[in-house]
Amino acid sequence: MENNRVLGAGAAEKGGLCLMLDLAERRPPVRADITLVFHARGECGFDGSELRLVMAKDAELRGADFALVLKPTDNKLQLGAGGSTHATLAFAGRTAHSGLPGAGVNAIHKFARVLSHLAAFEPVPDVVDGLTWYETMSATSAHGGRAGSVVPDQLEVNVHHTFGPSTDSHTSQDRLIALVDRVGAVRFEELSEPAPPNRSHALIAALEQSGVQGVEARQTWTEVASFTALQIAAANFGPGAERTMHAQSEVTELPELERAQTILDRWFASMK
């Protein structure tokens, strides 16, 4: 801890855990039955998150009326969740000496046309309930080649496609297949559906009036989408600094943690 800030790996995410532990200890008077769910791997999409396993075993949780996912949001109310598709694009070639490149087929060069489309891709807005998501498509890793003097016969590139509630995973898959356009093959690694904002839900509207630092779309996938898939309204909120998520030194400001506690107490008091 330094200058009223909690620093270090996971510090932004742990702000939400602090709020949950505080609720368990203080037990403030609330006219609702609150269940606190602690789980790991929240950054791994629908298939990777351990929440999926908890929900599969707990019928009471699957019957909840509302879920508040305590993500780092700088005490903003972030509604919905962006969809996420991770795909491996595979390009095949034929080896040859790089001094005689015409004798082979360069798998990396086959990717060049696809890369040009990715580099030129501009975020596409998706407006739902007055909130704006942005569709993005980025290459995030690449592996291929054999040696410095060998024309590469294989290349695999991970591409991450993110999108708003107006798009679904089927459409996302179609767009990635069209991107490759028969130059290579596509293998889908992760398919996480988006979630709508549900801005008119009574508990979301009440939280919006409880002192949050603004309302915006949640661009990335969160467990809000897991609850939404079960017809459970949900929202994202937490004191951690969103800009520092997954950085080497994540941050939660102690004054923001205290402010989040006050916001939740006001929200609880509004429940009738």
Side-chain angles (χ1 to χ4, degrees):
M1 191 165 64
E2 177 183 300
N3 297 326
N4 262 352
R5 299 188 303 169
V6 180
L7 304 171
E13 295 276 0
K14 300 305 184 289
L17 296 180
C18 290
L19 291 176
M20 294 170 71
L21 293 172
D22 172 70
L23 288 173
E25 183 175 337
R26 288 193 300 124
R27 300 197 177 194
V30 181
R31 294 178 62 85
D33 180 10
I34 297 178
T35 299
L36 302 177
V37 182
F38 298 82
H39 68 90
R41 296 177 60 82
E43 73 282 0
C44 297
F46 177 76
D47 290 331
S49 173
E50 288 188 358
L51 176 63
R52 179 175 57 87
L53 304 178
V54 176
M55 295 175 78
K57 295 180 179 180
D58 193 328
E60 184 178 353
L61 184 60
R62 297 195 300 274
D65 296 312
F66 183 78
L68 186 61
V69 179
L70 294 171
K71 289 290 188 181
T73 71
D74 298 286
N75 280 333
K76 297 175 183 176
L77 178 58
Q78 293 185 341
L79 301 183
S84 173
T85 299
H86 281 278
T88 297
L89 311 187
F91 303 88
R94 186 175 66 253
T95 59
H97 194 287
S98 56
L100 301 168
V105 177
N106 194 310
I108 294 176
H109 290 182
K110 290 177 72 174
F111 174 57
R113 187 177 69 188
V114 177
L115 181 60
S116 68
H117 287 301
L118 289 173
F121 193 95
E122 294 288 339
V124 180
D126 177 16
V127 181
V128 180
D129 278 354
L131 303 174
T132 304
W133 281 259
Y134 291 93
E135 179 183 1
T136 67
M137 197 177 291
S138 302
T140 57
S141 66
H143 307 278
R146 294 175 178 270
S149 59
V150 178
V151 170
D153 63 341
Q154 53 85 28
L155 174 70
E156 289 195 340
V157 180
N158 185 83
V159 171
H160 187 200
H161 183 212
T162 66
F163 45 93
S166 298
T167 302
D168 59 22
S169 288
H170 294 295
T171 303
S172 174
Q173 291 175 74
D174 289 342
R175 289 178 183 171
L176 286 163
I177 291 170
L179 174 71
V180 173
D181 190 25
R182 297 185 298 278
V183 176
V186 184
R187 183 173 71 249
F188 295 105
E189 311 290 354
E190 175 197 305
L191 301 170
S192 297
E193 295 287 355
N198 285 319
R199 196 169 187 176
S200 61
H201 190 279
L203 288 175
I204 291 178
L207 185 53
E208 185 172 347
Q209 298 300 315
S210 297
V212 297
Q213 303 300 296
V215 183
E216 61 188 21
R218 179 71 182 200
Q219 299 298 325
T220 58
W221 186 92
T222 75
E223 292 84 355
V224 160
S226 297
F227 287 104
T228 301
L230 295 175
Q231 306 303 310
I232 300 170
N236 306 279
F237 171 78
E242 184 183 14
R243 70 187 181 280
T244 69
M245 284 193 308
H246 305 312
Q248 289 185 342
S249 184
E250 296 187 30
V251 176
T252 292
E253 306 273 354
L254 291 185
E256 292 302 313
L257 186 59
E258 294 169 357
R259 185 174 288 114
Q261 184 185 64
T262 300
I263 291 169
L264 289 183
D265 284 347
R266 287 176 185 157
W267 184 49
F268 293 144
S270 72
M271 297 180 186
K272 299 178 181 180

